[in-house]
Amino acid sequence: GLGNWVDAGPRREAFFPALPHGEYEFVVAASLDGQRWREAAPLSITVRPYVFQRPWFTVLVVMAALAGAVMVMRLRTRQLRRQQSEMERLVAEKTEELRLANDHLARLSFVDSLTGLANRRGFDQALEHEWERARSSHTPLALVVIDVDLFKEYNDTMGHPEGDNCLVAVADVLLAAGSRGGYLMARYGGEEFTVLMPGADHASALDFAETLRVACEQRGIPHPSSSVASVVTISLGVAACVPSHETSSTALLARADEALYRAKREGRNRVASAEPPVPSRS
């Protein structure tokens, strides 16, 4: 017990507020004269602790706090992982978009914006590639150079917008004729076009060039200022060889150009062949 006496006074009541939990003995002593005291038999009292005062409750609270901390850490870790995953997805998505954009720009750098054919840069790269491949495999390579007849006069008469339409129409003729053969059609510059023909020999290239000439004439694009025909026509030069170390792609292109200028000198709207043929020693 507490070992302290409490004077109840005339109320005959004793108050022990907020006793700590534990075992107590309550002893009552009474006196009439204040000199002689008489004690009653002790009364055992047990003050039980509140739930929150019990040791297991403290352990439970600590465990709950630890569990809560672990849960918070797990939730935070899961959130960070989700954020990291989303960030990685966004980075991958942006990287792919950038790759596609770069691929698109790279393709555009090799394509003529007006006609959709390969441009000069694309043609030059393809020529070097096909030259090396044909040289390694000892297979022929042919080249056709094309010029729209009297195109300056067409522009002067019809205007530049119609001149652009004319070039697009000629490009369509080339594409329609050459798509099946796997040939590369290019706008080399201005009104000049080229056709790169891997695997084609000289005779095949001549036949194909004549097919292009006829197809363009039959397209029937009016050319009121032409001295050659009433419609737009083309002149073509053809050269072919089996590439070797003794020849070069530059020489092949130069011989095709020579043939083109001869076709123009001889009256236009015709096909001319490189003479003499490009050497084909392997």
Side-chain angles (χ1 to χ4, degrees), residues 111-156:
V111 174
D112 175 58
S113 59
L114 177 64
T115 63
L117 304 181
N119 58 19
R120 182 167 183 168
R121 180 182 179 186
F123 169 80
D124 289 343
Q125 187 179 80
L127 176 59
E128 291 305 314
H129 174 74
E130 293 298 339
W131 180 271
E132 291 301 319
R133 188 167 69 171
R135 186 176 63 80
S136 299
S137 60
H138 305 288
T139 55
L141 181 66
L143 186 61
V144 180
V145 181
I146 305 159
D147 190 78
V148 179
D149 293 329
L150 302 170
F151 184 71
K152 181 180 183 300
E153 288 76 2
Y154 185 92
N155 257 345
D156 291 343

Side-chain angles (χ1 to χ4, degrees), residues 42-265:
L43 175 65
S44 296
I45 299 174
T46 300
V47 178
R48 299 185 180 279
Y50 292 103
V51 172
F52 61 83
Q53 292 175 323
R54 296 180 182 275
W56 62 264
F57 183 82
T58 303
V59 173
L60 183 62
V61 169
V62 172
M63 291 180 63
L66 290 175
V70 170
M71 183 174 296
V72 169
M73 290 180 62
R74 287 182 177 178
L75 289 175
R76 181 58 178 164
T77 301
R78 188 175 303 173
Q79 182 182 17
L80 291 174
R81 286 177 179 173
R82 283 200 301 267
Q83 291 176 349
Q84 181 181 4
S85 177
E86 180 66 14
M87 186 64 68
E88 290 174 352
R89 186 190 66 80
L90 290 174
V91 169
E93 182 179 299
K94 295 302 179 183
T95 301
E96 180 65 12
E97 289 177 359
L98 181 60
R99 186 189 68 79
L100 292 175
N102 288 335
D103 288 347
H104 180 63
L105 289 175
R107 286 193 297 271
L108 288 180
S109 67
F110 292 101
V111 174
D112 175 58
S113 59
L114 177 64
T115 63
L117 304 181
N119 58 19
R120 182 167 183 168
R121 180 182 179 186
F123 169 80
D124 289 343
Q125 187 179 80
L127 176 59
E128 291 305 314
H129 174 74
E130 293 298 339
W131 180 271
E132 291 301 319
R133 188 167 69 171
R135 186 176 63 80
S136 299
S137 60
H138 305 288
T139 55
L141 181 66
L143 186 61
V144 180
V145 181
I146 305 159
D147 190 78
V148 179
D149 293 329
L150 302 170
F151 184 71
K152 181 180 183 300
E153 288 76 2
Y154 185 92
N155 257 345
D156 291 343
T157 302
M158 307 296 290
H160 288 286
E162 283 302 317
D164 287 348
N165 291 337
C166 174
L167 293 177
V168 171
V170 172
D172 288 344
V173 169
L174 301 185
L175 284 173
S179 58
R180 294 181 181 178
Y183 304 146
L184 175 72
M185 312 294 176
R187 183 186 178 194
Y188 200 65
E191 69 273 20
E192 191 171 344
F193 298 86
T194 55
V195 182
L196 185 61
M197 305 174 63
D201 57 19
H202 195 264
S204 299
L206 284 173
D207 289 342
F208 180 72
E210 179 61 19
T211 299
L212 293 179
R213 186 198 67 78
V214 172
C216 185
E217 189 172 15
Q218 290 180 345
R219 182 69 180 258
I221 305 168
H223 192 337
S225 57
S226 174
S227 59
V228 179
S230 60
V231 295
V232 171
T233 58
I234 55 177
S235 298
L236 307 95
V238 177
C241 72
V242 176
S244 69
H245 292 291
E246 288 75 26
T247 61
S248 68
S249 60
T250 303
L252 179 66
L253 181 59
R255 301 309 293 274
D257 268 332
E258 290 175 7
L260 169 64
Y261 288 122
R262 190 170 69 255
K264 293 168 70 173
R265 287 195 305 269

